[in-house]
Structures are given as structure tokens and as C-alpha cells.
Amino acid sequence: MSAKPAFVPYANEADVIEVGNLAIENRLDRITLHGDVDLTRDKAGLAQARLLHRLLGDVVAVLEAAALPDALPAPQVKTVDNPFN
């Protein structure tokens, strides 16, 4: 776990931060969180909580500074032929 990860919300499709077993994935139109993390009542739990707090604060700041639509359109799904047939 890094103390100050270089994670700019909505900046790219590549950044992933892990806190415990919780992955925070950067996307251009969304931030995806999956997995789990135990915020234990100790120094390690405090460090993880602070990191999550800072990351989510950054997400909120970006969202508050943007002109947002009511909802994103559904993603376009493209079907491709199976290359193994």
C-alpha cells in the first residue's frame, strides 16, 4: 500500500490502487471498486482508512467540478467472432 498513490480520477483507463483486497480502478467515465478491505482498529486500519478517504475525496472533487449528465448512457456492447472456432 502506497501512502500517496498517483491516482487522478477519470484520467485514464489504466490506474488501479489496491487497499487490502479492494481494487479501485480508474476509467474515463467511472471509478470501479471491487473486492473487500477490513479497516481494522489499529495503525494499519487507520492508514487504509485515510487512503480511502483521500481517494474518495479526490473523486468527489472531480465530480463536483464537472458539468454532469443525469446518468451515463448504457455502454455499447460489441460482439466479435470467436477466434478459436
Side-chain angles (χ1 to χ4, degrees):
M1 177 180 64
S2 173
K4 292 190 178 187
F7 188 94
V8 178
Y10 309 101
N12 59 54
E13 297 275 336
D15 292 340
V16 178
I17 299 292
E18 291 183 353
V19 179
N21 292 321
L22 180 68
I24 301 108
E25 298 181 7
N26 212 2
R27 303 290 306 274
L28 296 175
D29 64 346
R30 68 195 70 231
I31 304 296
T32 302
L33 291 87
H34 58 87
D36 62 83
V37 62
D38 290 323
L39 300 175
T40 52
R41 194 172 181 174
D42 56 15
K43 289 181 181 180
L46 176 59
Q48 290 179 326
R50 284 181 172 154
L51 177 56
L52 287 172
H53 184 261
R54 190 182 62 72
L55 286 169
L56 292 176
D58 291 347
V59 170
V60 169
V62 169
L63 292 171
E64 288 178 339
L68 301 172
D70 290 335
L72 290 178
Q76 292 184 350
V77 177
K78 181 179 174 185
T79 303
V80 297
D81 292 329
N82 184 342
F84 302 105
N85 282 340

